[in-house]
Amino acid sequence: MSEIQQFSQRDIEILNEETVYKGFFTLKKVQFKHKLFAGGESGVVTRELLVKGAASAVIAYDPQADTVVLVEQVRIGAYQADSEHSPWLLELIAGMVEKGEQPEEVALRESQEEAGVEVRNLAHCLSVWDSPGGVLERIHLFVGQVDSSQAKGIHGLAEEHEDIRVHVIKREQAYQWMCEGKIDNSIAVMGLQWLQLNYAQLQQQWL
């Protein structure tokens, strides 16, 4: 096996950072150099970086009914004029982490705002980078116990132009839809895979 070379923050040099656009998200132009695996240093690398910050997502699981609460909303990034795929996606409950907030607080708040459910036994699953080649976003994935009979209706904040429909789906059905590609956004795929691997343990803990 080849040895993994450990580079760190010290091995990259930011030469210039410029804000190109600031709106709902921020777009930066970054120039940098970095050390090379073969030794020496790279030339100047220029990349556009979409700065989104951090987000929390919740696997809202009801162990009694063996169901998961998903939300459906339109996503402009999934819209393609020449495609038959709908830009309305089935997703995990999720929201952006604002300045001064903790990811756990966001997970609990968004569960109320997006699905009208109260989460108990919230636990951190994992944290990952989302497309770090050009996006600065850290995703914090949580799992929490919910009573899925309380999940219903249409939710979202009008001032944020949210129009969110709640779905309660059997765990096996949601996992099957993921395998078939009907659920195809990365956070939901990651969350449903995690749930499939860990639901039996959750049932033992929560029931």
Side-chain angles (χ1 to χ4, degrees):
M1 294 178 63
S2 61
E3 182 180 349
I4 297 177
Q5 186 168 352
Q6 295 294 329
F7 286 143
S8 71
Q9 298 277 5
R10 296 186 300 272
D11 299 312
I12 185 169
E13 179 186 1
I14 304 299
L15 302 173
N16 188 54
E17 186 175 302
E18 172 189 355
T19 298
V20 177
Y21 175 80
K22 190 172 182 64
F24 189 77
F25 298 122
T26 298
L27 183 65
K28 291 186 175 183
K29 184 177 181 179
V30 183
Q31 292 181 307
F32 62 96
K33 291 182 177 181
H34 63 87
K35 287 187 177 180
L36 299 172
F37 290 119
E41 189 177 62
S42 72
V44 177
V45 181
T46 302
R47 291 288 184 270
E48 285 74 38
L49 182 67
L50 182 64
V51 180
K52 298 176 68 178
S56 293
V58 185
I59 307 165
Y61 180 58
D62 183 338
Q64 188 75 42
D66 197 20
T67 53
V68 61
V69 178
L70 300 179
V71 293
E72 179 186 7
Q73 57 187 313
V74 66
R75 293 302 197 187
I76 190 59
Y79 171 76
Q80 293 177 298
D82 57 350
S83 173
E84 295 181 357
H85 294 285
S86 173
W88 275 261
L89 304 181
L90 279 175
E91 303 176 331
L92 298 185
I93 296 165
M96 301 299 297
V97 179
E98 303 295 340
K99 187 175 181 179
E101 287 187 311
Q102 295 300 315
E104 294 85 354
E105 297 171 341
V106 176
L108 296 173
R109 185 192 71 224
E110 292 294 333
S111 296
Q112 285 280 0
E113 288 183 5
E114 292 194 349
V117 293
E118 180 180 343
V119 174
R120 295 182 290 133
N121 298 317
L122 186 73
H124 178 257
C125 302
L126 47 88
S127 296
V128 297
W129 293 110
D130 176 21
S131 193
V135 178
L136 194 166
E137 183 178 35
R138 188 74 167 166
I139 304 294
H140 303 286
L141 180 65
F142 296 89
V143 66
Q145 182 180 359
V146 298
D147 176 0
S148 61
S149 68
Q150 303 301 308
K152 61 188 71 172
I154 298 173
H155 296 263
L157 300 178
E159 61 269 26
E160 295 183 8
H161 303 284
E162 292 180 327
D163 182 46
I164 300 169
R165 183 165 60 175
V166 177
H167 296 270
V168 176
I169 301 171
K170 284 289 187 180
R171 173 188 52 79
E172 280 288 358
Q173 179 67 79
Y175 183 71
Q176 184 62 37
W177 283 349
M178 185 213 75
C179 293
E180 295 171 355
K182 294 179 181 179
I183 296 177
D184 60 357
N185 59 91
S186 61
I187 297 176
V189 168
M190 180 171 56
L192 291 173
Q193 288 178 331
W194 189 96
L195 181 61
Q196 193 69 9
L197 290 171
N198 293 278
Y199 76 91
Q201 183 179 350
L202 295 175
Q203 289 179 349
Q204 288 181 349
Q205 292 174 352
W206 295 346
L207 292 179

